[in-house]
Amino acid sequence: MLLVAAHAVATSPVMTAYEAYVREVNARPVPEGVQPRDRAWHRRLAALAAAHPVRVPPDASAARVVSALVSFVDDHDGPFAREAFDEEAVLALVAAWRSRPRVDALGLVELVGPRHTLLDAVLVAHAAARQVARGRDTRALPGFAPTLSERLALGASVAPFAHALSRGGDPLGDTYHYLANLAAGLLGASRWSRSWTLPLFAAGPELMWLVRQQIFGAPLFFGNHARVDRLGLRHGVELRRGRQGQM
């Protein structure tokens, strides 16, 4: 997995037009509301877990899903985990996202909806949020290639995380980082053979800083999202293990 991530960074070290993205994100007003530490989000997680299995599909490869979570698809020309990029579901989610009233901040409650399994739902939300935030998964989502202005317009409605968690991160980047780690927590806590994913993602922010910024010189223009990452990982592990006896 680290080789995939390293190759991805070496192939395309910096997000296209990232200076404009950073400038616009820093200049726009932040929507009201804070996620995900609100009761609505915890109720949604509990409801999704009750209605949709937390189990990991037996044909899901931990290595393939992990590679999708850590590597932008457009940054390399190798195979990718198509199971992590349900384009039809992503397009439906983005259509609903676009049709929402602009006065309402978009939170995790709206992004993570019912799917066959909770992991499916989290992966769909992650794929949509990451493509809007970074625009580097077009090879996996050929029907969804938004321009920078479209990405900024969609991202402008996303609720931020608390400053103590975000530490200056962009709300949309924090959101997809949280979702990636939520998925990793669900995956890694599902069985002992997949538990290797947990320490890997626990050290993920430092590994990202080492590989991307220190080795390949790709700036982490909103930091390494460490606190948001670890919150998502913890929530995924707790959710999976809390319902383990009911699986």
Side-chain angles (χ1 to χ4, degrees):
M1 186 206 76
L2 288 177
L3 289 176
V4 171
H7 176 62
V9 176
T11 304
S12 180
V14 181
M15 182 180 82
T16 303
Y18 84 91
E19 297 96 339
Y21 179 87
V22 173
R23 184 169 58 251
E24 291 296 326
V25 169
N26 286 334
R28 69 191 180 201
V30 177
E32 292 184 5
V34 173
Q35 59 180 354
R37 288 185 171 179
D38 58 272
R39 294 179 180 177
W41 172 237
H42 292 289
R43 286 197 300 268
R44 168 54 66 91
L45 274 180
L48 286 172
H52 304 277
V54 183
R55 66 175 177 80
V56 176
D59 58 344
S61 161
R64 282 172 57 84
V65 173
V66 164
S67 71
L69 295 174
V70 304
S71 173
F72 299 112
V73 172
D74 295 346
D75 287 0
H76 63 91
D77 55 9
F80 59 88
R82 294 188 180 276
E83 60 267 35
F85 300 95
D86 183 336
E87 185 176 41
E88 182 179 355
V90 168
L91 290 172
L93 175 58
V94 172
W97 187 344
R98 284 177 169 143
S99 66
R100 294 178 67 259
R102 291 299 180 190
V103 294
D104 297 330
L106 181 75
L108 291 160
V109 172
E110 291 78 24
L111 276 174
V112 180
R115 297 290 299 161
H116 179 60
T117 72
L118 183 56
L119 180 62
D120 289 335
V122 173
L123 288 174
V124 168
H126 169 264
R130 192 170 81 176
Q131 180 67 341
V132 175
R134 301 295 183 257
R136 296 164 75 179
D137 289 307
T138 304
R139 193 160 65 94
L141 302 168
F144 181 45
T147 64
L148 178 61
S149 61
E150 290 170 331
R151 288 165 48 214
L152 287 166
L154 285 168
S157 64
V158 175
F161 283 66
H163 179 72
L165 290 170
S166 177
R167 294 296 179 92
D170 60 315
L172 193 51
D174 282 338
T175 296
Y176 90 76
H177 268 257
Y178 173 91
L179 290 168
N181 281 268
L182 183 65
L186 290 170
L187 185 69
S190 62
R191 64 174 63 169
W192 72 267
S193 62
R194 295 176 175 139
S195 62
W196 59 268
T197 64
L198 301 180
L200 186 64
F201 275 81
E206 288 73 27
L207 289 172
M208 182 174 66
W209 171 82
L210 177 64
V211 174
R212 286 188 175 272
Q213 184 161 303
Q214 298 303 108
I215 295 179
F216 291 107
L220 302 180
F221 42 87
F222 282 111
N224 66 5
H225 304 266
R227 296 191 177 198
V228 170
D229 282 359
R230 287 174 179 134
L231 182 69
L233 186 64
R234 191 182 82 235
H235 282 175
V237 170
E238 289 175 351
L239 184 61
R240 171 61 192 172
R241 288 180 174 166
R243 289 182 48 81
Q244 202 161 25
Q246 304 176 44
M247 292 298 106

